[in-house]
Amino acid sequence: MKKYVLFDHDGVLVDTESWYYKAGERALAEIGLPLDMDQYLRDMSQGLGTWAQAKAAGVCERTIGRQRKARDAYYQEYLRTESIEIEGVVETLAELSKHVRMAIVTTAKRADFEIIHEQRHIRQFMDFVLVREDYELAKPHPEPYLTGLKRFGAAREATLVVEDSSRGLASAVAAGIDCVVVHNAFTQAQDFSQATHRIETLGGLKDLILGPA
């Protein structure tokens, strides 16, 4: 049985990925540039994002810097005003916490993470949280999950990663850790062929770790 679980955050524990996209879309629209979702998802799988399309269109760094600040503000607005709950997450974490140790390894910035969890009950189940500022190289590089292993003092064989994106899956695979991919409509078309397991909802994790009830 696995003894440690490292959770991705956005799209796994909270439904935020579409709002991050919409914030970027809104920021680029202000300078007359559409944000193509298919290309955005391809860029994200390589550790890139909104600004790859802006750079490809010849937008200067100064303008990108200004619109990045606008994107960040729009995203935080959405985090405060939109519904980002995923049904069953808290209940699943509460049950798993009786049997395994858990942590979050996310590319979310600390400021965004704090807004998301001002009034939520997810952090209480976690030993620790690693946000973007806590490591140098982001997913798909293995550093985030290797940092999580080190923090736990855990062996790869005793650890499971839970992800929803090909970028996160690649990070886990590169770190040598088994990875479960949970269904997310926003990322469902990505390549998850290297996943150890696929589940429809986070609740399916209980059967994988604890066995059928």
Side-chain angles (χ1 to χ4, degrees):
M1 186 179 108
K2 300 294 186 180
K3 298 179 180 179
Y4 305 90
V5 182
L6 296 171
F7 288 94
D8 177 47
H9 178 248
D10 298 279
V12 172
L13 301 178
V14 286
D15 187 15
T16 50
E17 290 187 325
S18 63
W19 296 112
Y20 196 70
Y21 169 81
K22 289 179 186 298
E25 183 182 46
R26 183 174 166 187
L28 287 186
E30 293 178 344
I31 57 173
L33 187 67
L35 183 60
D36 180 85
M37 181 180 286
D38 290 338
Q39 185 60 49
Y40 172 85
L41 289 171
R42 286 193 292 271
D43 290 338
M44 287 290 285
S45 70
Q46 301 174 49
L48 304 172
T50 304
W51 315 111
Q53 291 185 50
K55 291 175 182 177
V59 178
C60 70
E61 288 296 332
R62 182 177 180 181
T63 300
I64 287 175
R66 184 185 70 226
Q67 296 312 114
R68 189 190 301 273
K69 291 179 182 178
R71 187 277 310 273
D72 292 348
Y74 296 147
Y75 182 51
Q76 291 188 359
E77 173 191 327
Y78 294 145
L79 293 179
R80 290 187 171 100
T81 60
E82 301 295 339
S83 175
I84 59 173
E85 305 291 342
I86 297 178
E87 185 177 356
V89 164
V90 172
E91 293 80 3
T92 297
L93 295 178
E95 178 63 25
L96 288 174
S97 68
K98 302 172 186 176
H99 306 278
V100 295
R101 294 175 64 186
M102 303 183 293
I104 294 172
V105 179
T106 177
T107 54
K109 292 188 281 285
R110 192 178 309 280
D112 297 337
F113 188 90
E114 292 298 330
I115 290 170
I116 290 169
H117 293 282
E118 282 174 355
Q119 298 182 16
R120 289 188 169 80
H121 305 287
I122 289 173
R123 277 194 290 194
Q124 63 179 312
F125 302 112
M126 303 296 164
D127 280 37
F128 59 87
V129 173
L130 297 178
V131 296
R132 182 61 188 89
E133 291 88 344
D134 291 325
Y135 47 84
E136 182 178 352
L137 299 170
K139 304 171 188 177
H141 194 277
E143 183 187 351
Y145 284 120
L146 291 175
T147 303
L149 280 182
K150 185 176 180 180
R151 183 78 174 267
F152 263 141
R156 290 174 172 84
E157 297 76 16
T159 306
L160 190 65
V161 164
V162 184
E163 272 285 353
D164 74 308
S165 72
S166 59
R167 174 179 64 172
L169 171 60
S171 176
V173 170
I177 311 170
D178 287 346
C179 183
V180 175
V181 170
V182 63
H183 175 80
N184 182 335
F186 192 73
T187 58
Q188 62 182 338
Q190 295 183 3
D191 179 10
F192 297 121
S193 57
Q194 290 186 292
T196 309
H197 300 282
R198 301 281 298 276
I199 54 177
E200 283 299 310
T201 68
L202 201 67
L205 198 59
K206 290 185 289 187
D207 286 346
L208 287 178
I209 294 176
L210 307 178

